Amino acid sequence: VTLLKASRADVVRFMRYVVVLPCGCWLWVGARSRGGGKNGQKVWYGSFWFVDLATGKRKTVRAHRFADEVLKKRECPPGHDRDHNCELSLCVNPDCVEIVTKAINQERKVERRRSRDTSGLDRALEMYDAQ
Ligand SMILES: [Zn+2]
């Protein structure tokens, strides 16, 4: 496994698609693609093309992977996943991401689904029902 290598200019271009939220998350507002989740639970991930300095060719990868490998120089070994501790799949801040085994990632997904905050839905329905 070798880390992705990109130019500084591509890092600057990457950050043009990022909105830094008050919580510290880096919300990706560029291109997206759906995928990843098991049991049909597909989620949105950022997608970014850059010039891979290893080959000189354009390459498209998930945005959070680009940030993790190019900025933090951290690789994801086989059998592992990048887990978003912030639970925001469109967040690309490497500080929100942890490399864990696929088994642990799956366990956490199930646990988070079980304890999901539904206050947003409650509030939306309250507004809707108010008229
Ligand atoms: Zn985050």
Side-chain angles (χ1 to χ4, degrees), residues 4-62:
L4 299 174
K5 282 208 166 36
S7 68
R8 215 162 184 281
D10 271 342
V11 170
V12 172
R13 195 170 55 80
F14 178 87
M15 291 307 291
R16 283 213 290 263
Y17 299 107
V18 169
V19 175
V20 178
L21 302 181
C23 59
C25 283
W26 294 2
L27 178 64
W28 181 255
V29 296
R32 297 179 298 178
S33 64
R34 252 157 87 86
K38 283 176 189 159
N39 312 322
Q41 288 270 342
K42 295 222 182 300
V43 289
W44 287 103
Y45 289 106
S47 179
F48 182 68
W49 72 260
F50 67 103
V51 176
D52 184 0
L53 295 184
T55 62
K57 288 183 182 152
R58 271 197 190 197
K59 191 178 172 84
T60 301
V61 294
R62 284 185 178 167

Coordinates of all heavy atoms in Angstrom, one line a residue, residues 4-62:
L4 N -1.4 8.1 -1.4 CA -1.6 9.0 -2.5 C -0.7 10.2 -2.4 O -0.5 10.7 -1.3 CB -3.1 9.5 -2.5 CG -4.2 8.5 -2.6 CD1 -5.5 9.2 -2.4 CD2 -4.2 7.8 -3.9
K5 N -0.2 10.7 -3.5 CA 0.7 11.9 -3.5 C 0.1 12.9 -4.4 O -0.1 12.6 -5.6 CB 2.1 11.5 -3.9 CG 2.9 10.8 -2.8 CD 4.4 11.1 -3.0 CE 5.2 10.7 -1.7 NZ 4.7 9.6 -1.0
A6 N -0.1 14.1 -3.9 CA -0.7 15.2 -4.7 C 0.1 16.5 -4.5 O 0.8 16.6 -3.5 CB -2.2 15.4 -4.3
S7 N -0.1 17.4 -5.4 CA 0.6 18.7 -5.3 C -0.1 19.6 -4.3 O -1.2 19.4 -4.0 CB 0.6 19.4 -6.7 OG -0.7 19.8 -7.0
R8 N 0.7 20.6 -3.9 CA 0.1 21.6 -3.0 C -1.1 22.3 -3.6 O -2.0 22.7 -3.0 CB 1.3 22.6 -2.7 CG 1.2 23.2 -1.3 CD 2.6 23.8 -1.0 NE 2.6 24.2 0.4 CZ 2.0 25.3 0.8 NH1 1.4 26.1 0.0 NH2 2.1 25.7 2.1
A9 N -0.9 22.6 -5.0 CA -2.0 23.2 -5.7 C -3.3 22.4 -5.6 O -4.4 23.0 -5.5 CB -1.6 23.4 -7.1
D10 N -3.2 21.1 -5.7 CA -4.4 20.3 -5.6 C -5.0 20.3 -4.2 O -6.2 20.2 -4.0 CB -4.1 18.9 -6.1 CG -4.4 18.7 -7.6 OD1 -5.0 19.6 -8.2 OD2 -3.9 17.7 -8.1
V11 N -4.1 20.5 -3.2 CA -4.6 20.6 -1.8 C -5.4 21.9 -1.7 O -6.5 21.9 -1.1 CB -3.4 20.6 -0.8 CG1 -3.9 20.9 0.6 CG2 -2.8 19.2 -0.8
V12 N -4.9 23.0 -2.3 CA -5.6 24.3 -2.2 C -6.9 24.2 -2.9 O -7.9 24.6 -2.4 CB -4.7 25.4 -2.9 CG1 -5.5 26.7 -3.0 CG2 -3.4 25.6 -2.0
R13 N -6.9 23.5 -4.1 CA -8.2 23.3 -4.8 C -9.2 22.4 -4.0 O -10.4 22.7 -4.0 CB -7.9 22.7 -6.2 CG -9.0 22.7 -7.2 CD -8.6 22.3 -8.6 NE -8.0 21.0 -8.6 CZ -8.8 19.8 -8.6 NH1 -10.1 19.9 -8.6 NH2 -8.2 18.7 -8.6
F14 N -8.6 21.4 -3.4 CA -9.5 20.5 -2.5 C -10.2 21.4 -1.4 O -11.4 21.2 -1.2 CB -8.5 19.5 -1.8 CG -9.2 18.6 -0.9 CD1 -9.8 17.4 -1.3 CD2 -9.3 18.8 0.5 CE1 -10.4 16.5 -0.5 CE2 -9.9 18.0 1.4 CZ -10.5 16.8 0.9
M15 N -9.5 22.3 -0.8 CA -10.0 23.0 0.3 C -11.1 24.1 -0.2 O -11.8 24.6 0.7 CB -8.9 23.7 1.1 CG -8.1 22.7 1.9 SD -9.0 21.6 3.0 CE -9.6 22.7 4.2
R16 N -11.1 24.3 -1.5 CA -12.2 25.2 -2.0 C -13.6 24.6 -1.9 O -14.6 25.2 -1.9 CB -11.9 25.6 -3.4 CG -10.8 26.6 -3.6 CD -11.1 27.6 -4.7 NE -10.9 26.9 -6.0 CZ -9.7 26.9 -6.8 NH1 -8.7 27.7 -6.3 NH2 -9.6 26.3 -7.9
Y17 N -13.6 23.2 -1.7 CA -14.9 22.5 -1.6 C -15.2 22.2 -0.2 O -16.0 21.3 0.1 CB -14.8 21.2 -2.4 CG -14.6 21.4 -3.9 CD1 -13.4 21.1 -4.5 CD2 -15.6 21.9 -4.7 CE1 -13.1 21.3 -5.9 CE2 -15.4 22.1 -6.1 CZ -14.2 21.8 -6.6 OH -14.0 22.1 -8.0
V18 N -14.5 22.8 0.8 CA -14.7 22.5 2.2 C -15.3 23.7 2.9 O -14.8 24.8 2.7 CB -13.3 22.1 2.8 CG1 -13.5 22.1 4.3 CG2 -12.9 20.8 2.3
V19 N -16.3 23.5 3.7 CA -16.9 24.5 4.6 C -16.5 24.0 6.0 O -17.0 22.9 6.4 CB -18.4 24.7 4.4 CG1 -18.9 25.6 5.5 CG2 -18.7 25.2 3.0
V20 N -15.8 24.8 6.7 CA -15.4 24.5 8.1 C -16.6 24.8 9.0 O -17.0 26.0 9.1 CB -14.1 25.1 8.6 CG1 -13.8 24.8 10.0 CG2 -13.0 24.8 7.7
L21 N -17.1 23.8 9.7 CA -18.3 24.0 10.6 C -17.8 24.4 12.0 O -16.7 24.1 12.4 CB -19.1 22.8 10.6 CG -19.7 22.2 9.3 CD1 -20.5 21.0 9.6 CD2 -20.5 23.3 8.6
P22 N -18.7 25.1 12.8 CA -18.3 25.5 14.1 C -17.9 24.3 15.0 O -17.1 24.5 15.9 CB -19.6 26.1 14.7 CG -20.4 26.5 13.5 CD -20.1 25.5 12.4
C23 N -18.4 23.1 14.7 CA -18.0 21.9 15.5 C -16.6 21.4 15.1 O -16.1 20.5 15.8 CB -19.0 20.8 15.3 SG -19.2 20.3 13.6
G24 N -16.0 22.0 14.1 CA -14.7 21.5 13.7 C -14.7 20.6 12.4 O -13.7 20.3 11.9
C25 N -15.9 20.1 12.1 CA -16.0 19.3 10.9 C -15.7 20.1 9.6 O -16.0 21.3 9.6 CB -17.4 18.6 10.8 SG -17.6 17.3 12.0
W26 N -15.2 19.4 8.6 CA -14.9 20.0 7.3 C -16.0 19.4 6.4 O -15.8 18.3 5.9 CB -13.5 19.6 6.8 CG -12.4 20.2 7.6 CD1 -12.4 21.0 8.7 CD2 -11.0 20.1 7.2 NE1 -11.2 21.3 9.1 CE2 -10.3 20.8 8.2 CE3 -10.3 19.4 6.2 CZ2 -8.9 20.8 8.2 CZ3 -8.9 19.5 6.2 CH2 -8.2 20.2 7.2
L27 N -17.0 20.1 6.2 CA -18.1 19.7 5.3 C -17.8 19.8 3.9 O -17.4 20.8 3.4 CB -19.4 20.5 5.6 CG -20.6 20.1 4.8 CD1 -21.1 18.7 5.0 CD2 -21.8 21.1 5.0
W28 N -17.8 18.6 3.2 CA -17.5 18.6 1.7 C -18.7 19.1 0.9 O -19.8 18.5 1.1 CB -17.2 17.2 1.3 CG -16.8 17.0 -0.1 CD1 -17.5 16.5 -1.1 CD2 -15.5 17.4 -0.7 NE1 -16.8 16.5 -2.3 CE2 -15.6 17.1 -2.1 CE3 -14.4 18.0 -0.2 CZ2 -14.6 17.4 -3.0 CZ3 -13.3 18.3 -1.1 CH2 -13.4 17.9 -2.4
V29 N -18.5 20.1 0.1 CA -19.6 20.6 -0.7 C -19.3 20.4 -2.2 O -19.9 21.0 -3.1 CB -19.9 22.1 -0.4 CG1 -20.4 22.2 1.0 CG2 -18.7 23.0 -0.6
G30 N -18.3 19.6 -2.5 CA -18.0 19.3 -3.9 C -18.8 18.1 -4.4 O -19.8 17.8 -3.8
A31 N -18.2 17.4 -5.4 CA -18.9 16.3 -6.0 C -19.1 15.2 -5.0 O -18.3 15.0 -4.1 CB -18.1 15.7 -7.2
R32 N -20.2 14.4 -5.1 CA -20.4 13.3 -4.2 C -20.8 12.0 -4.9 O -21.2 12.0 -6.0 CB -21.7 13.7 -3.3 CG -21.5 14.9 -2.4 CD -22.7 15.2 -1.7 NE -23.9 15.4 -2.5 CZ -25.1 15.7 -2.0 NH1 -25.3 15.6 -0.8 NH2 -26.1 15.9 -2.9
S33 N -20.6 10.9 -4.2 CA -21.1 9.6 -4.7 C -21.6 8.8 -3.6 O -21.2 9.0 -2.4 CB -20.0 8.9 -5.5 OG -18.9 8.6 -4.6
R34 N -22.5 7.9 -3.9 CA -23.1 7.1 -2.8 C -22.4 5.7 -2.8 O -22.1 5.2 -3.8 CB -24.6 6.9 -3.1 CG -25.5 7.6 -2.2 CD -26.8 7.8 -2.9 NE -27.7 6.7 -2.6 CZ -28.5 6.6 -1.5 NH1 -28.5 7.5 -0.6 NH2 -29.3 5.6 -1.3
G35 N -22.3 5.2 -1.6 CA -21.7 3.9 -1.5 C -21.3 3.5 -0.1 O -21.7 4.1 0.8
G36 N -20.6 2.4 0.0 CA -20.0 2.0 1.2 C -20.8 1.2 2.1 O -20.5 0.0 2.3
G37 N -21.9 1.7 2.7 CA -22.6 1.1 3.7 C -23.1 -0.4 3.4 O -23.4 -0.7 2.3
K38 N -23.2 -1.2 4.4 CA -23.7 -2.5 4.3 C -25.2 -2.6 4.5 O -25.8 -1.6 4.9 CB -23.0 -3.5 5.3 CG -21.6 -3.8 4.8 CD -20.9 -4.6 5.9 CE -19.4 -4.8 5.5 NZ -18.6 -5.1 6.7
N39 N -25.8 -3.7 4.2 CA -27.3 -3.9 4.4 C -28.1 -2.8 3.7 O -29.1 -2.3 4.2 CB -27.6 -3.8 5.9 CG -26.7 -4.7 6.7 OD1 -26.3 -5.8 6.3 ND2 -26.3 -4.3 7.9
G40 N -27.6 -2.4 2.5 CA -28.3 -1.4 1.7 C -28.3 0.0 2.3 O -29.0 0.9 1.8
Q41 N -27.5 0.2 3.3 CA -27.4 1.5 4.0 C -26.4 2.4 3.3 O -25.4 2.7 3.9 CB -27.0 1.3 5.5 CG -28.1 0.7 6.3 CD -29.0 1.8 6.9 OE1 -28.6 2.9 7.0 NE2 -30.2 1.4 7.4
K42 N -26.6 2.7 2.1 CA -25.7 3.5 1.4 C -25.6 5.0 1.9 O -26.7 5.6 2.2 CB -26.0 3.5 -0.1 CG -25.8 2.1 -0.7 CD -25.1 2.2 -2.1 CE -25.0 0.9 -2.8 NZ -24.3 -0.1 -2.0
V43 N -24.4 5.5 2.0 CA -24.3 6.9 2.5 C -23.5 7.7 1.4 O -22.9 7.2 0.5 CB -23.6 7.0 3.8 CG1 -24.4 6.4 4.9 CG2 -22.2 6.2 3.8
W44 N -23.6 9.1 1.5 CA -22.9 10.0 0.6 C -21.5 10.2 1.1 O -21.2 10.4 2.3 CB -23.6 11.3 0.6 CG -24.9 11.3 -0.2 CD1 -26.2 11.3 0.4 CD2 -25.1 11.2 -1.6 NE1 -27.1 11.2 -0.6 CE2 -26.5 11.2 -1.9 CE3 -24.2 11.2 -2.7 CZ2 -27.0 11.2 -3.2 CZ3 -24.7 11.2 -4.0 CH2 -26.1 11.2 -4.2
Y45 N -20.6 10.1 0.1 CA -19.2 10.5 0.4 C -18.7 11.5 -0.7 O -19.2 11.5 -1.8 CB -18.3 9.3 0.2 CG -18.4 8.3 1.3 CD1 -19.1 7.1 1.1 CD2 -17.9 8.5 2.6 CE1 -19.2 6.1 2.2 CE2 -18.1 7.6 3.6 CZ -18.7 6.4 3.4 OH -18.9 5.5 4.4
G46 N -17.8 12.4 -0.3 CA -17.2 13.3 -1.2 C -16.4 12.6 -2.2 O -15.8 11.5 -2.0
S47 N -16.2 13.2 -3.4 CA -15.4 12.6 -4.5 C -14.5 13.7 -5.0 O -15.0 14.9 -5.2 CB -16.4 12.1 -5.5 OG -15.8 11.6 -6.6
F48 N -13.3 13.4 -5.3 CA -12.3 14.5 -5.7 C -11.3 13.9 -6.7 O -10.8 12.8 -6.5 CB -11.6 15.0 -4.5 CG -10.6 16.1 -4.8 CD1 -11.1 17.4 -5.2 CD2 -9.2 15.9 -4.6 CE1 -10.2 18.4 -5.4 CE2 -8.3 17.0 -4.9 CZ -8.8 18.2 -5.3
W49 N -11.1 14.6 -7.8 CA -10.0 14.2 -8.7 C -8.8 15.1 -8.5 O -8.9 16.3 -8.1 CB -10.5 14.2 -10.2 CG -10.7 15.6 -10.8 CD1 -11.8 16.3 -10.9 CD2 -9.6 16.5 -11.3 NE1 -11.6 17.5 -11.5 CE2 -10.3 17.7 -11.7 CE3 -8.3 16.4 -11.4 CZ2 -9.6 18.7 -12.3 CZ3 -7.5 17.4 -12.0 CH2 -8.2 18.6 -12.4
F50 N -7.7 14.5 -8.7 CA -6.4 15.2 -8.6 C -5.4 14.6 -9.5 O -5.7 13.5 -10.1 CB -5.9 15.2 -7.1 CG -5.5 13.8 -6.7 CD1 -4.2 13.5 -6.6 CD2 -6.5 12.9 -6.4 CE1 -3.8 12.2 -6.2 CE2 -6.1 11.6 -6.0 CZ -4.8 11.3 -5.9
V51 N -4.2 15.2 -9.6 CA -3.2 14.5 -10.4 C -2.3 13.7 -9.5 O -1.6 14.3 -8.6 CB -2.3 15.6 -11.2 CG1 -1.2 14.9 -11.9 CG2 -3.2 16.3 -12.2
D52 N -2.3 12.4 -9.6 CA -1.5 11.5 -8.8 C 0.0 11.7 -9.2 O 0.4 11.4 -10.3 CB -2.0 10.1 -9.1 CG -1.3 9.1 -8.2 OD1 -0.5 9.5 -7.4 OD2 -1.6 7.9 -8.3
L53 N 0.8 12.2 -8.3 CA 2.2 12.5 -8.6 C 3.0 11.2 -8.8 O 4.0 11.2 -9.4 CB 2.8 13.3 -7.4 CG 2.2 14.7 -7.3 CD1 3.0 15.4 -6.2 CD2 2.3 15.5 -8.6
A54 N 2.4 10.0 -8.4 CA 3.1 8.8 -8.6 C 3.0 8.4 -10.1 O 4.0 7.7 -10.6 CB 2.5 7.7 -7.7
T55 N 1.9 8.7 -10.8 CA 1.7 8.3 -12.2 C 1.6 9.4 -13.1 O 1.8 9.2 -14.4 CB 0.4 7.4 -12.3 OG1 -0.7 8.3 -11.9 CG2 0.4 6.2 -11.4
G56 N 1.4 10.6 -12.6 CA 1.2 11.8 -13.5 C -0.2 11.8 -14.1 O -0.5 12.7 -15.0
K57 N -1.1 10.9 -13.7 CA -2.4 10.8 -14.3 C -3.5 11.3 -13.3 O -3.3 11.2 -12.1 CB -2.7 9.4 -14.7 CG -1.9 8.9 -15.9 CD -2.3 7.5 -16.3 CE -1.5 7.0 -17.5 NZ -1.4 5.6 -17.5
R58 N -4.6 11.7 -13.9 CA -5.8 12.1 -13.0 C -6.3 10.8 -12.3 O -6.4 9.8 -12.9 CB -6.9 12.6 -13.9 CG -6.8 14.1 -14.1 CD -8.1 14.6 -14.6 NE -8.0 16.0 -15.1 CZ -9.0 16.8 -15.3 NH1 -10.2 16.3 -15.1 NH2 -8.8 18.0 -15.6
K59 N -6.7 11.0 -11.1 CA -7.3 10.0 -10.3 C -8.4 10.5 -9.5 O -8.3 11.6 -9.0 CB -6.1 9.4 -9.4 CG -6.4 8.1 -8.7 CD -5.2 7.7 -7.9 CE -5.5 6.5 -7.0 NZ -5.3 5.2 -7.7
T60 N -9.5 9.8 -9.4 CA -10.6 10.2 -8.5 C -10.7 9.3 -7.3 O -10.7 8.1 -7.5 CB -11.9 10.2 -9.4 OG1 -11.8 11.1 -10.5 CG2 -13.1 10.7 -8.5
V61 N -10.8 9.9 -6.2 CA -10.9 9.1 -4.9 C -11.9 9.8 -4.0 O -12.4 10.9 -4.2 CB -9.6 9.0 -4.2 CG1 -8.5 8.3 -5.0 CG2 -9.1 10.4 -3.8
R62 N -12.3 9.0 -3.0 CA -13.2 9.6 -2.0 C -12.4 10.8 -1.3 O -11.3 10.6 -0.9 CB -13.6 8.6 -0.9 CG -14.6 7.6 -1.5 CD -15.2 6.7 -0.5 NE -16.2 5.9 -1.1 CZ -16.7 4.8 -0.6 NH1 -16.2 4.3 0.5 NH2 -17.6 4.1 -1.3

